[in-house]
Amino acid sequence: MEPLDRDLDHSELELPAEPMMLDMGPAHPCMHGTVRTVVELTGERIVRADVQVGYLHRGFEKMCERGTWTQVFPYVDRANYISPMLNNVGFALACEKMLGIEVPERCQWYRMALGELARISDHLTCDGAMAMELGAFTPFLWMVKAREMVWEVLEEETGARLTHSFGRVGGMAHPPTDGFKETTRATLDQVLKVVEECERLLLGNRIFLDRLEGVGPITAADAISLGWTGPCLRACGVPYDVRKAHPYLRYAEVDFDVPVGVHGDSLDRFLVRLAELRQSARIIRQALDRMADSGPVNVDDPRVVLPPKEEVYSTIEGTIRHFKIVMEGLKIPAGEVYSYTEAGNGELGFYLVSDGSGTPYRVRIRPPCFLITSGLERVITGQMIADVVPCFGSLNMIGGECDR
Amino acid sequence: MPTFKLDDREIPFEPGETIIQAAHRAGIEIPHYCWHPGLSVAANCRMCLVEVLPPPGRPALSLAVMSWDESQGAYVDQKKPKLQPACQQGAADGMEVRAETSPHVLRARSSVQELLLLNHPVDCPICDQAGECRLQDYWLEHQSSSKRMRDEPVHKPKAVSFGPTIVYDAERCIVCTRCVRFSAEVAKDPVLSVRQRGNLNEITVAPGRSLDHPYSLMTEYVCPVGALTAKDFRFKARVWFLRSAKTVCQGCATGCNAFLDHDPRTGAVYRHRPRENAAVNRYWMCDEGMLDYRRIDERRITAAAVSGEASTLGSALDRAAVVLREAPRDRLGVVLSAQHSTEDNFALLGLARDVLGATSFFLGGRPAGQGDDVLRDADKNPNTRGVRELLGATPLGTMPELAAKVAAGAITELLVLGADVGELPDASALSGARVAVAVASAEGPLLSRPYVLLPATGYGEADGTYVNRAGLAQHSEEAVPARGDARPAWKLLAGIAARLGKDLGYRKLTELRGALGGAAAPAGAAE
């Protein structure tokens, strides 16, 4: 006999429902980049989630093994494409570590200033997008306006708004422009003004706070076990920042704080990024103050740095030097290295293997986003379906970094 | 064996060897331009200078020099050791030599390099040597600095034609005299010499002569810089795009070891270079051999044909099986080819002797040419000895003998590998017989009207074994993809056998080589 409806237990408050499978992505307006999240719902509550990142696959670690070391820069640009300068600098530092060279002090300050500008652009994008996805469109436009100001500085310096390919092993593609310091200082003032306005708009908004507060929390222990770094980890109260823990460039010589959160929820992640913006501005101001107005930017090492063009065209030594670096690629001694820096979303590591030739033998990238995205499942399980959007937004997944 | 110490490493040497020779054998490369292991010692480039420490208790050979002292702001008298060229200095037991560990040597290398580049033109972008040029390599390794001379460099003749194969650029020349010594010592034709002195000196061809001896391309090969360039290779390719396959030259029975340089992006072949093998060709190759690579794309057969009509490979193989089944076995002549690898001939033998039951075998190949006592052999086929060894006791006739049998009506059908008629002036003497099936890579006299024509891969398109005149079996590697429909001849012949209902027992080269046994094992082929 088939069971009749009246045999069902009516004591439960909710009507019994079949669990529902729902695909969010890979093409969903709220999925930054192509990522697919399969969620299993009971009512509106997520009981199971499966995050799949394989939809963006360029195989760019493999691509890096084809050209010269210098030709890797455009690829790392496209890992975290919101803050490519940080990737450029990270890769350059990894190569320099293997070569055993250190760029001149002026270049170090320059790299820090440009890198922190990129971090500002990264955080502005993430926080702006979070607000927009919760319906607050105005702050998004304002923050993107501020980001545009940052990008204008970067464009002035590098010639490109987004994918700069500006880093070089042993230095940078060009020295700072004459007006770099002035423009940057002025831009920072404007950017911080916009940030303040947005902050007033959002943090006084009940709806915005309700959607974030206590949503998608994660404990510090969980975050560490997942390999989280960067703002997402710091939002859990863990003050780990590569710039403080293992200072590189001149970070040991500048004053800045590492903002941390308390609850590890979406709001904390939002707030940590806002606070970091201001710290980045602090760092940039100090870097600009201490960067010399003249002096070499590139190391003086014919093995790695291209000669000035006028020498290439007029002397045989310059031609040979140019030729060896361009045609054969600069040679990095055989060996391996792990070098890591604080990128927009956390620890960006490069594990490089060189066989002594002009072509990388292996380029392994440890992108912060790949590990953070792997924690999305834990963050959204148990949340409401509508909370996937702010949770996902607060992790700031960058598709390019999840390319495995 | 006596030893000497080079930078704290013990190097064994044979009595009479020089420092550079012993180090070279031990795998240590002391930088050099003029020294070549196959030529006499000139010791004129000074790049291989090393510091030889005096025997215990004896004073060091030293020179009084003046050097600038920054702190005093004046030149001061100083001593520096007299350095010795490692290419000329004989090794002695217990001798202590410093190269990398001596600051004097490092400074000398840098200075020599600076001197050699003083008058060098800015030619890398248009120079064929770029990418394999010693000047480039050594600049980065040993100098890495700009020149201090501010004067206009000395200008000399450029693009001078030295002969039919070689162009000379005096501005790029470092006058190491390798080409001069090679011509005199190896080619035995002292047609080159040096004229003028100091920074005006340059290589010149003897009056009334041109550089036209049979080893002229070798002068380009021994040239460590871009002074001599080969007309054949000039402006054709940039070397860093090329890959090299280890091959065996097909020009004659000497079987010189070669590199076949090809562009993997297009499959085009660009040049032949000698590959060192002390047992065969030492460091050299002849012009004929170095230009022989061009046959890969000359008069190629790239598609099958039946009665002169283009056909697919499959139906041509079917047709071949039919005509061979119908051919009278006692009047079937089989022409093996000294131009083809042992594998190809082995498969032909398997098909003809074991499947078809043929009994008359003849050896085809290119006619004899000029030989000399350096490298070139009069037999212009790479595998004559390989085919003979393959047949063992089975009689192997010559092409004139085949012509006689055809004229007598004893042979009416031919199964042919290759397209050459050996010593016959042309194929007219064979017109009494029908070429039933021909497997060949290039057009030739034998292929005037074959019934079934099957396209075989040529040299450089397939792996193969060739036995040289000394009986050395050597492997030649595949370099480029097969042209058109071409397949290795042994595969085509095995395909015919399969269509006749007999499996020759191999589908892969390794299986074929297993069946061949020792005949295909490379003997003493150096890397």
Side-chain angles (χ1 to χ4, degrees):
Chain A
M1 289 285 279
E2 287 179 29
L4 295 174
D5 275 359
R6 63 168 180 271
D7 293 337
L8 289 170
D9 183 0
H10 287 276
S11 62
E12 282 180 14
L13 280 174
E14 289 189 20
L15 285 175
E18 288 275 306
M20 183 167 76
M21 298 285 275
L22 190 67
D23 267 329
M24 294 193 76
H28 186 280
C30 288
M31 292 290 137
H32 308 185
T34 41
V35 60
R36 178 188 188 204
T37 310
V38 185
V39 290
E40 195 177 310
L41 302 172
T42 298
E44 280 193 62
R45 199 161 289 281
I46 296 165
V47 291
R48 219 162 57 80
D50 182 13
V51 182
Q52 301 166 3
V53 294
Y55 289 88
L56 176 69
H57 179 68
R58 304 162 295 182
F60 80 102
E61 285 181 0
K62 203 69 197 163
M63 289 194 283
C64 295
E65 294 165 21
R66 280 190 61 90
T68 63
W69 290 96
T70 313
Q71 284 170 333
V72 171
F73 282 105
Y75 292 132
V76 296
D77 265 349
R78 286 148 180 84
N80 183 343
Y81 31 70
I82 309 297
S83 50
M85 189 59 78
L86 288 165
N87 308 359
N88 271 215
V89 170
F91 179 72
L93 285 171
C95 292
E96 286 155 14
K97 194 168 170 183
M98 281 186 106
L99 278 161
I101 56 178
E102 194 179 54
V103 294
E105 188 179 338
R106 185 173 180 220
C107 182
Q108 297 193 14
W109 292 117
Y110 190 41
R111 281 178 173 182
M112 278 171 65
L114 291 180
E116 293 305 322
L117 280 172
R119 193 184 315 278
I120 291 177
S121 123
D122 194 294
H123 289 354
L124 282 172
T125 313
C126 176
D127 279 356
M130 261 175 96
M132 177 187 66
E133 285 161 0
L134 294 176
F137 205 83
T138 307
F140 172 72
L141 291 180
W142 288 8
M143 282 181 161
V144 167
K145 178 181 76 183
R147 184 180 77 172
E148 202 59 36
M149 296 168 189
V150 173
W151 282 6
E152 264 162 28
V153 176
L154 290 170
E155 184 184 3
E156 183 69 21
E157 291 305 299
T158 69
R161 293 167 72 242
L162 196 57
T163 45
H164 317 296
S165 301
F166 194 64
R168 293 290 183 275
V169 179
M172 293 305 246
H174 296 285
T177 58
D178 292 341
F180 174 59
K181 288 184 177 178
E182 243 170 275
T183 329
T184 311
R185 285 191 186 110
T187 304
L188 283 180
D189 294 340
Q190 288 176 315
V191 168
L192 290 183
K193 220 167 100 191
V194 173
V195 170
E196 217 151 286
E197 286 170 343
C198 291
E199 197 178 49
R200 281 210 301 275
L201 267 182
L202 291 170
L203 296 185
N205 185 314
R206 173 75 193 278
I207 302 171
F208 184 75
L209 294 177
D210 280 356
R211 291 296 307 273
L212 297 180
E213 223 167 346
V215 170
I218 189 163
T219 63
D222 277 357
I224 290 170
S225 74
L226 282 163
W228 281 22
T229 48
C232 292
L233 175 66
R234 293 193 282 272
C236 309
V238 182
Y240 175 74
D241 186 319
V242 181
R243 293 171 294 175
K244 274 275 192 236
H246 309 281
Y248 52 96
L249 293 175
R250 299 268 162 175
Y251 280 111
E253 298 173 25
V254 292
D255 286 329
F256 68 101
D257 301 320
V258 178
V260 291
V262 181
H263 312 292
D265 57 3
S266 296
L267 183 63
D268 275 358
R269 291 191 277 270
F270 179 86
L271 291 175
V272 163
R273 285 202 171 83
L274 269 190
E276 282 189 10
L277 278 177
R278 301 194 160 101
Q279 297 303 322
S280 287
R282 260 178 89 186
I283 296 171
I284 294 169
R285 285 189 206 283
Q286 295 174 60
L288 293 179
D289 289 344
R290 298 193 53 183
M291 186 173 86
D293 283 324
S294 60
V297 165
N298 293 343
V299 292
D300 183 23
D301 188 337
R303 290 176 303 158
V304 289
V305 174
L306 287 174
K309 278 289 171 287
E310 58 273 16
E311 246 178 62
V312 176
Y313 296 139
S314 61
T315 69
I316 183 64
E317 288 85 356
T319 311
I320 290 177
R321 178 170 164 186
H322 175 92
F323 185 94
K324 292 293 268 189
I325 294 175
V326 172
M327 298 304 171
E328 294 175 14
L330 58 96
K331 306 265 196 319
I332 290 188
E336 53 185 57
V337 77
Y338 179 71
S339 165
Y340 47 104
T341 55
E342 182 75 21
N345 286 309
E347 179 175 323
L348 170 71
F350 287 97
Y351 170 65
L352 308 179
V353 182
S354 171
D355 57 2
S357 74
T359 302
Y361 181 80
R362 179 81 172 94
V363 176
R364 174 72 170 86
I365 302 185
R366 180 228 184 265
C369 275
F370 185 63
L371 296 135
I372 289 169
T373 309
S374 72
L376 176 63
E377 178 193 334
R378 197 167 306 183
V379 171
I380 61 174
T381 305
Q383 306 291 318
M384 307 293 273
I385 180 73
D387 291 334
V388 171
V389 175
C391 288
F392 186 73
S394 70
L395 299 188
N396 194 23
M397 189 207 93
I398 304 292
E401 286 201 346
C402 295
D403 179 348
R404 292 290 89 209
Chain B
M1 201 181 257
T3 61
F4 66 93
K5 225 178 189 181
L6 176 60
D7 291 338
D8 304 322
R9 208 183 127 179
E10 290 290 338
I11 311 275
F13 67 95
E14 306 276 359
E17 269 187 333
T18 58
I19 294 172
I20 208 171
Q21 273 175 326
H24 181 68
R25 217 155 27 81
I28 300 172
E29 210 58 21
I30 296 174
H32 59 272
Y33 288 101
C34 72
W35 180 73
H36 188 287
L39 299 175
S40 64
V41 170
N44 63 21
C45 75
R46 314 312 279 180
M47 195 63 191
C48 67
L49 290 177
V50 289
E51 185 178 349
V52 179
L53 299 188
R58 301 274 299 278
L61 271 178
S62 64
L63 301 172
V65 291
M66 296 188 82
S67 67
W68 181 255
D69 189 323
E70 200 70 53
S71 59
Q72 298 184 26
Y75 283 97
V76 292
D77 287 329
Q78 269 196 334
K79 294 264 188 202
K80 75 164 200 174
K82 174 86 180 77
L83 305 177
Q84 302 295 335
C87 67
Q88 199 172 40
Q89 177 68 51
D93 200 14
M95 183 187 239
E96 219 172 307
V97 181
R98 285 196 191 148
E100 309 287 334
T101 49
S102 162
H104 299 291
V105 170
L106 298 183
R107 188 156 167 231
R109 285 178 184 173
S110 170
S111 305
V112 167
Q113 184 64 30
E114 186 177 354
L115 172 76
L116 292 177
L117 286 177
L118 268 193
N119 293 309
H120 197 89
V122 186
D123 266 2
C124 298
I126 53 155
C127 179
D128 286 305
Q129 190 81 10
E132 51 183 12
C133 180
R134 287 272 173 88
L135 286 171
Q136 289 181 333
D137 298 346
Y138 287 171
W139 177 81
L140 192 63
E141 280 169 47
H142 304 298
Q143 184 186 1
S144 301
S145 60
S146 301
K147 71 173 128 223
R148 290 165 288 178
M149 185 180 86
R150 295 279 165 264
D151 301 340
E152 176 74 10
V154 176
H155 291 290
K156 293 187 201 174
K158 290 180 85 73
V160 183
S161 180
F162 263 13
T165 55
I166 296 293
V167 173
Y168 176 64
D169 187 314
E171 288 192 339
R172 297 179 194 160
C173 185
I174 59 167
V175 204
C176 69
T177 68
R178 271 186 178 191
C179 52
V180 175
R181 283 174 286 144
F182 174 83
S183 291
E185 295 164 16
V186 182
K188 305 276 193 298
D189 181 8
V191 62
L192 298 178
S193 60
V194 182
R195 78 166 165 222
Q196 268 289 4
R197 295 174 67 88
N199 61 12
L200 293 178
N201 66 2
E202 59 183 76
I203 306 295
T204 180
V205 187
R209 278 293 311 275
S210 70
L211 178 59
D212 55 2
H213 58 67
Y215 295 87
S216 62
L217 282 169
M218 263 292 100
T219 57
E220 185 273 335
Y221 180 71
V222 296
C223 182
V225 299
L228 296 176
T229 46
K231 284 181 181 172
D232 181 58
F233 186 65
R234 228 165 125 79
F235 310 134
K236 291 276 169 57
R238 308 254 47 177
V239 294
W240 53 89
F241 292 128
L242 302 184
R243 298 290 175 272
S244 304
K246 292 173 189 167
T247 57
V248 174
C249 177
Q250 306 285 294
C252 75
T254 306
C256 293
N257 292 207
F259 285 114
L260 183 61
D261 288 357
H262 58 98
D263 190 332
R265 300 169 302 175
T266 59
V269 284
Y270 284 97
R271 63 175 179 180
H272 240 169
R273 284 184 296 134
R275 179 159 55 97
E276 186 180 331
N277 187 338
V280 183
N281 54 316
R282 299 184 68 216
Y283 315 94
W284 323 122
M285 268 175 88
C286 67
D287 287 0
E288 248 174 86
M290 284 180 87
L291 296 175
D292 194 57
Y293 76 90
R294 294 192 290 201
R295 275 204 284 154
I296 290 174
D297 287 313
E298 268 171 17
R299 300 186 299 152
R300 280 302 299 275
I301 296 163
T302 53
V306 177
S307 312
E309 300 283 323
S311 158
T312 63
L313 204 53
S315 57
L317 282 168
D318 292 341
R319 222 39 238 153
V322 170
V323 290
L324 288 176
R325 187 181 286 129
E326 290 166 356
R329 76 170 64 169
D330 50 337
R331 276 181 299 180
L332 175 65
V334 179
V335 180
L336 296 120
S337 174
Q339 283 285 314
H340 277 255
S341 65
T342 304
E343 287 86 350
D344 291 353
N345 283 292
F346 179 68
L348 177 60
L349 207 56
L351 171 69
R353 192 166 57 185
D354 307 338
V355 180
L356 300 172
T359 51
S360 314
F361 299 100
F362 304 91
L363 180 60
R366 293 199 294 174
Q370 223 179 358
D372 60 27
D373 55 0
V374 185
L375 286 176
R376 295 187 301 158
D377 196 286
D379 177 6
K380 295 298 169 196
N381 300 295
N383 206 19
T384 310
R385 181 146 175 180
V387 181
R388 288 198 188 285
E389 283 176 0
L390 206 54
L391 265 91
T394 313
L396 181 63
T398 62
M399 291 306 275
E401 284 167 21
L402 172 63
K405 286 200 174 180
V406 169
I411 283 175
T412 56
E413 300 272 340
L414 291 173
L415 167 58
V416 168
L417 178 61
D420 303 304
V421 290
E423 302 309 322
L424 293 175
D426 53 48
S428 58
L430 302 173
S431 57
R434 176 175 78 147
V435 176
V437 175
V439 181
S441 57
E443 296 286 349
L446 256 182
L447 305 183
S448 53
R449 40 182 181 76
Y451 181 63
V452 177
L453 175 62
L454 297 168
T457 50
Y459 156 70
E461 293 166 46
D463 287 348
T465 309
Y466 300 87
V467 183
N468 76 349
R469 62 181 173 192
L472 213 56
Q474 306 187 100
H475 280 176
S476 181
E477 276 180 5
E478 176 185 332
V480 291
R483 309 303 199 217
D485 278 345
R487 300 279 181 280
W490 64 265
K491 266 190 187 163
L492 297 170
L493 294 161
I496 298 175
R499 282 167 171 77
L500 288 169
K502 289 276 176 64
D503 187 4
L504 291 183
Y506 34 78
R507 284 190 177 74
K508 292 184 205 149
L509 190 69
T510 44
E511 291 169 0
L512 168 61
R513 284 185 174 160
L516 247 173
E527 287 308 301

